[in-house]
C-alpha cells in the first residue's frame, strides 16, 4: 500500500491541496507527498503501485487516476493535467513513463 512508503498524513494533505480542477502541479505534489526525500527503492515501490496493469510503465490512462493511486478519494486529473504530467515524466517520447521518469525532476 502507498502508506507503507509515504505518510498517510502527507498523502491526505497533498491530495487535498490539488482537489480543485486544473490545480494539479506534479512538482509540488511529489514534494508535499514526501516522494522527493525518498530513496530510489521507495520511489520504485510507489511507481509499481501506480502501474496498475504491471506493464513496467505508467501510461496516460493510468496517469489520469494518479491521485486515486495515493488515496481512493483522490480526483481524476483532467486531460490537460494528465498530458502535462506525461510530458514531464516521458523521457524518450514513447507516450509512457518508465520507473526512471518517476521522480519527475526538472
Amino acid at each position: 500500500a502507498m502508506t507503507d512508503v509515504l505518510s498517510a498524513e502527507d498523502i491526505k494533505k497533498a491530495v487535498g491541496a490539488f482537489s480543485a480542477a486544473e490545480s494539479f502541479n506534479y512538482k509540488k505534489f511529489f514534494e508535499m507527498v514526501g516522494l522527493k526525500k525518498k530513496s530510489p527503492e521507495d520511489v520504485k515501490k510507489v511507481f509499481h503501485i501506480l502501474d496498475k496493469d504491471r506493464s513496467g510503465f505508467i501510461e496516460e490512462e493510468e496517469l489520469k487516476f494518479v491521485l486515486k493511486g495515493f488515496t481512493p478519494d483522490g480526483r481524476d486529473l483532467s486531460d490537460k493535467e494528465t498530458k502535462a504530467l506525461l510530458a514531464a515524466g516521458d523521457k524518450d517520447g514513447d507516450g509512457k513513463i518508465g520507473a526512471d521518469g518517476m521522480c519527475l525532476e526538472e
Side-chain angles (χ1 to χ4, degrees):
M2 201 59 85
T3 49
D4 293 344
V5 184
L6 303 168
S7 134
E9 177 97 355
D10 289 347
I11 291 172
K12 191 175 174 184
K13 265 192 224 147
V15 171
F18 301 105
S19 59
E22 303 298 346
S23 69
F24 186 70
N25 176 316
Y26 65 86
K27 287 179 192 162
K28 280 192 192 136
F29 178 79
F30 288 124
E31 199 172 303
M32 286 179 75
V33 88
L35 209 52
K36 291 225 183 267
K37 298 184 291 245
K38 293 295 177 186
S39 69
E41 294 76 37
D42 281 346
V43 171
K44 277 199 169 49
K45 283 180 198 163
V46 168
F47 176 88
H48 291 299
I49 293 168
L50 298 173
D51 178 19
K52 299 283 186 224
D53 65 1
R54 300 281 175 252
S55 66
F57 296 94
I58 299 176
E59 293 85 11
E60 189 170 341
E61 51 279 6
E62 289 169 323
L63 278 181
K64 187 171 185 65
F65 308 112
V66 73
L67 295 179
K68 281 191 169 70
F70 285 89
T71 180
D73 53 5
R75 70 177 175 87
D76 295 350
L77 296 184
S78 70
D79 288 345
K80 189 170 142 195
E81 290 169 317
T82 303
K83 287 191 188 325
L85 183 53
L86 180 64
D90 181 9
K91 302 284 185 242
D92 58 4
D94 64 357
K96 53 194 178 190
I97 298 175
D100 58 339
M102 185 60 198
C103 285
L104 305 169
E105 55 285 324
E106 312 316 276

